[in-house]
Amino acid sequence: MAGTDTTTGRDGDDLAGLEAGLDALDTRRPTARPLGQSLREKVLPPLTALTLVLAVWQALISFHIVDDPSKLPSPRAVGDVVATAWLEGELLGYIWTSVSRGLLGFGLALLIGTPLGLLVARVRLVRAAIGPILSGLQTLPSVAWVPPAVIWLGLNNSMMYAVILLGAVPSVAGGLVSGVDQVPPLFLRAGRTMGATGLKGTWHIVLPAALPGYVAGLKQGWAFSWRSLMAAEIIASFPDLGVGLGRLLENGRNASDMAMVFEAIGLILVVGITIDLLVFSPLERRVLRSRGLLVKN
């Protein structure tokens, strides 16, 4: 009996120690990284990759592997074009024309895609009717919507926004549907037990639990918005539309000016990457970290 009591006491102590260790692990606050370490881990790698790309690009010119500047201009030639556009006050105009359209179009896609995704996820009949269509629309190239949008709406900003919506709404809705499908049934049962049903359950239980999939859909929706807008700007040409980055790219092609073409490609990449790094990647990390799916060192 004494041995049994001793063993039981030891097991109890072990369990108590384990629980205390888990509590300490849960409540441990991560220490802030030194600035130098953050710069080395987050800034240095992309700068190194960019430097390597520029070095290879310049090597193709310097070693005469590509001698025709009409096919591959030098990095300096592209830089001169960008500097000229900046000094003439046109560079920010190109960027703002496209960015303002892209953000407004994405905002509209968010307002439409979110309730649509909830409807598809929560109503079985709607999912059976619309779900396959949403999946199919995500595989359809955005450029395919430009001709019918021009015919229906004409050469104006409404046509641009229509193309953005048709490209982005399926991704936003599909991401939310995927997130809702991954909500553990236990959460829903617990919510119903506490009286969170109907709209209350959707707001307090379903949406918070579906955030990881929803944020992934938002990130993909932005990428589709940006790509759809570039396709529309490249194809649709009209003075009242102004000159965005897609139109700048097409103007360079029409003028056989490869430096301008590379300028437009570079700006399109920079804007898309910048918005992703400043908005969607931090949002995604925050959501994943709040659910213990991402470790914060």
Side-chain angles (χ1 to χ4, degrees), residues 106-131:
F106 177 73
L108 294 173
L110 189 62
L111 293 176
I112 297 173
T114 300
L116 178 62
L118 278 175
L119 192 63
V120 172
R122 303 292 287 170
V123 181
R124 185 175 302 176
L125 181 61
V126 176
R127 173 178 289 218
I130 300 179

Side-chain angles (χ1 to χ4, degrees), residues 203-240:
W203 181 257
H204 292 286
I205 305 296
V206 176
L207 279 178
L211 269 180
Y214 183 46
V215 171
L218 295 183
K219 190 173 182 179
Q220 186 183 55
W222 163 249
F224 275 55
S225 295
W226 192 237
R227 287 161 49 185
S228 301
L229 176 61
M230 292 303 103
E233 288 187 350
I234 289 172
I235 295 176
S237 175
F238 194 67
D240 291 345

Side-chain angles (χ1 to χ4, degrees), residues 37 55 75 89 110 113 116 120 206 243 246-247 249 265:
Q37 180 183 354
L110 189 62
L116 178 62
V120 172
V206 176
V243 179
R247 178 46 37 187
L249 178 62
I265 292 174

